Amino acid sequence: MTVIPVPTSIAPWLSVRNGARAVEFYKSAFGATEVFRMEEGGSVVARLSVEGAEFWMGDESPEHKNFSPETLGGGSVRIILTVADPDAVFARAVSAGASQVYAVTEEYGWRLGRVVDPFGHHWEIGRPLT
């Protein structure tokens, strides 16, 4: 048997309510593309890519201990989306329905702002200054 080398990576899996709507939000907000999508019984599981940076998302499934921030009353993880133009991506996310947590500013060697998406996930959008 031939073993195909696979690079090590880490990709978050976001649990949401209304996965189909979430896929459309991430496409609109971040220009995400669908790499993989499966729908079964009204639930969606998708692997999305933002300029090569991949993440997974799917409808919450309490039976598997996967809960959305909406169910939990908040999340435990912030996602850092590093992009060339944080101001443009931040504005696009807000226009698509994200809420501003704090505006894009320069601090700690980064140009960075933070939004919360309609599903309760926090995204820090920025880039290092040097």
Side-chain angles (χ1 to χ4, degrees), residues 53-103:
E54 292 187 353
F55 66 100
W56 289 79
M57 54 112 321
D59 281 283
E60 68 179 352
S61 54
E63 67 277 16
H64 297 113
K65 307 291 186 213
N66 297 324
F67 301 100
S68 73
E70 291 173 289
T71 296
L72 297 174
S76 64
V77 174
R78 292 192 318 240
I79 300 131
I80 299 174
L81 179 59
T82 304
V83 296
D85 187 350
D87 295 272
V89 174
F90 185 93
R92 182 177 179 173
V94 169
S95 177
S99 298
Q100 176 179 306
V101 175
Y102 61 82

Side-chain angles (χ1 to χ4, degrees), residues 29-68:
F30 303 130
T33 57
E34 288 183 42
V35 177
F36 169 85
R37 182 174 179 145
M38 178 179 69
E39 295 186 51
E40 185 177 311
S43 291
V44 173
V45 169
R47 186 170 94 197
L48 302 173
S49 174
V50 178
E51 296 184 23
E54 292 187 353
F55 66 100
W56 289 79
M57 54 112 321
D59 281 283
E60 68 179 352
S61 54
E63 67 277 16
H64 297 113
K65 307 291 186 213
N66 297 324
F67 301 100
S68 73

